[in-house]
Amino acid sequence: MAQEKSVAVSDFLSKAELIKQGAEARVYRSEFLGKSAIVKERFPKRYRHPVLDERLTHRRTVQEVRAILRCRRAGISTPVVYFVDYTSHCIFLEEIMGSLTVRDHIASIQQSDSCKEQELEHLAECVGHILAKMHDEDVIHGDLTTSNMLLRHGLEDGESSLVLIDFGLSYISALPEDKGVDLYVLEKAFLSTHPNTETLFDKLLKSYRASSKKSSAVIKKLDEVRLRGRKRSMVG
Amino acid sequence: MHLTKQLELFPDHRVTQMLFKDVKNAAELRQSAVKGQISGALINPKMLVNPFQVLVATNKSVHLQKTGKMKTRSLYSEIIFSLSPTNNISEAFKKFGISDGDDSVMVVLVHSRDESQLLSDIAAKVDGLQIPVEDVSLLSDLAKIKKLYKVTPQEEKCGTLLDAVVCRMATKDVM
């Protein structure tokens, strides 16, 4: 019986449009129950022992789904989960229509001659605010980059809203250390993808500090992490 | 009136929803469903926001049936159970199944081809007025739905009530 199912999902995915392939998963676009959906498939890793592979993949799928729900409950926009298949480790998610990654948005603003400084600052403040909210819920994203943030154009007010995606490396933790590293990862990614944005990133952190209740410990950790890097020193 | 949708994951399965109001024989219907004389799920439409909610529950149930992981005895009871945000089976039946005094019912059928005979058989058993399935939103008891699924006001700011409900149904087994 278990076999038949895998066939159903793999048959389905073989007809779906592959949009991305990473080391951990493949991402497809397809129709699901009449809606456009994104399917994230964690395929088996042949280089790992099958039992270990199954456990790791299962745990990551569960963690991803949990983090998404936790964020949504706190009012942070993330894609809706439509269906999860724990046998083939596929997550069926809402496709965020008419969206643009924050990365592309910043790049296009920077390219246009009339550099809209204010617009960028507003965006940085929004990001800082959302991340503060997420960390206050003890969700650690694990892979914060500007490519994992989407801008969705609001239907009514015309104001665009931020949607966080790809919780594949996320987990729950209340430790300032983990939150500090989360911000550090973003800082590294942000400054390397977007040149000359140091002041912009400071704006982001300022907004984070203002929005989060537990920010002082986190920022302190961030300063520590900056000196030593993402990995904790095991000396002494 | 009714709404039939093929499941993309299981192309030989179709789901048909039929909605009735002014139903007078709810007790009798419930009895026959319990005895297994009705091959369909009888759902309390007050707990439904949108037909999509039923599709999500049915897709999950068919999937669990195929993988041999159902928590209840039949596909139709599994559909009712899948609608519930909790893992309590009897509570799911109480809240999402129909009760004797109900005056409306959503019938959900899973079949292979166009089976108009099956539909008319069911329609003949229900003593009520069939209305378009899309009208289910007119019957929903929003306050009760929000309470049962524990939807917070801040969550409604970042998405619709349907989004919140579907998310909880899809993820309840790991919460």
Side-chain angles (χ1 to χ4, degrees), chain A:
Chain A
M1 279 299 249
Q3 244 46 44
E4 196 186 337
K5 187 254 89 253
S6 292
V7 172
V9 173
S10 56
D11 267 6
F12 174 75
L13 290 181
S14 67
K15 283 172 228 135
E17 174 199 355
L18 180 68
I19 47 178
K20 236 169 205 147
Q21 150 104 49
E24 170 79 8
R26 278 188 275 264
V27 175
Y28 299 86
R29 178 185 289 124
S30 185
E31 185 106 331
F32 179 69
L33 303 176
K35 297 196 188 247
S36 43
I38 295 291
V39 186
K40 181 167 179 177
E41 179 204 24
R42 286 191 160 78
F43 48 83
K45 316 292 179 302
R46 304 273 175 227
Y47 52 84
R48 281 199 295 238
H49 187 280
V51 176
L52 176 66
D53 180 46
E54 170 69 26
R55 289 245 186 114
L56 284 175
T57 310
H58 182 79
R59 191 185 325 149
R60 286 179 189 167
T61 309
V62 168
Q63 273 171 335
E64 176 160 7
V65 165
R66 273 196 195 134
I68 290 177
L69 191 71
R70 206 174 168 118
C71 281
R72 289 192 64 88
R73 267 201 296 237
I76 300 163
S77 292
T78 61
V80 179
V81 181
Y82 289 145
F83 172 59
V84 189
D85 176 2
Y86 298 103
T87 60
S88 64
H89 310 295
C90 289
I91 305 178
F92 290 67
L93 297 155
E94 165 195 19
E95 179 174 11
I96 310 291
M97 302 302 277
S99 63
L100 179 76
T101 65
V102 167
R103 177 194 178 134
D104 292 346
H105 185 68
I106 294 180
S108 74
I109 289 184
Q110 281 187 328
Q111 285 214 332
S112 65
D113 291 330
S114 55
C115 201
K116 301 164 206 151
E117 203 55 47
Q118 268 193 329
E119 201 182 325
L120 282 178
E121 280 179 14
H122 177 69
L123 178 65
E125 280 163 13
C126 283
V127 173
H129 177 70
I130 294 251
L131 296 184
K133 216 152 87 174
M134 183 181 83
H135 280 174
D136 279 358
E137 292 296 319
D138 295 337
V139 175
I140 312 298
H141 186 283
D143 189 17
L144 285 176
T145 61
T146 43
S147 308
N148 283 339
M149 301 169 189
L150 300 182
L151 271 174
R152 164 163 54 187
H153 285 282
L155 299 171
E156 298 116 44
D157 45 8
E159 175 99 339
S160 43
S161 62
L162 266 176
V163 183
L164 295 184
I165 60 164
D166 193 1
F167 287 81
L169 293 172
S170 66
Y171 56 99
I172 311 291
S173 163
L175 295 178
E177 161 80 26
D178 293 330
K179 296 176 188 176
V181 170
D182 216 18
L183 291 180
Y184 177 72
V185 168
L186 175 65
E187 180 173 350
K188 281 275 175 197
F190 197 102
L191 298 180
S192 62
T193 26
H194 311 293
N196 310 319
T197 48
E198 281 77 6
T199 47
L200 193 63
F201 193 78
D202 281 343
K203 279 269 185 314
L204 189 156
L205 283 184
K206 213 169 136 195
S207 148
Y208 178 93
R209 228 170 304 177
S211 314
S212 166
K213 281 163 244 155
K214 308 158 190 164
S215 64
S216 59
V218 178
I219 299 293
K220 218 174 117 197
K221 277 289 172 190
L222 174 62
D223 291 334
E224 256 179 71
V225 177
R226 275 184 186 136
L227 294 177
R228 61 147 220 246
R230 184 168 64 89
K231 301 272 192 217
R232 227 194 279 228
S233 163
M234 288 302 164
V235 182

Side-chain angles (χ1 to χ4, degrees), chain B residues 27-40 42 74:
Chain B
E28 190 190 315
L29 286 171
R30 197 182 66 85
Q31 283 294 327
S32 2
V34 169
K35 283 185 204 148
Q37 290 160 348
I38 291 182
S39 51
L42 304 179
S74 75

Side-chain angles (χ1 to χ4, degrees), chain A residues 1 5 33-34 65-66 73, chain B residues 8 63 66-67 152 171 174:
Chain A
M1 279 299 249
K5 187 254 89 253
L33 303 176
V65 165
R66 273 196 195 134
R73 267 201 296 237
Chain B
E8 292 94 342
H63 164 73
K66 295 254 181 229
T67 47
T152 57
T171 61
V174 292

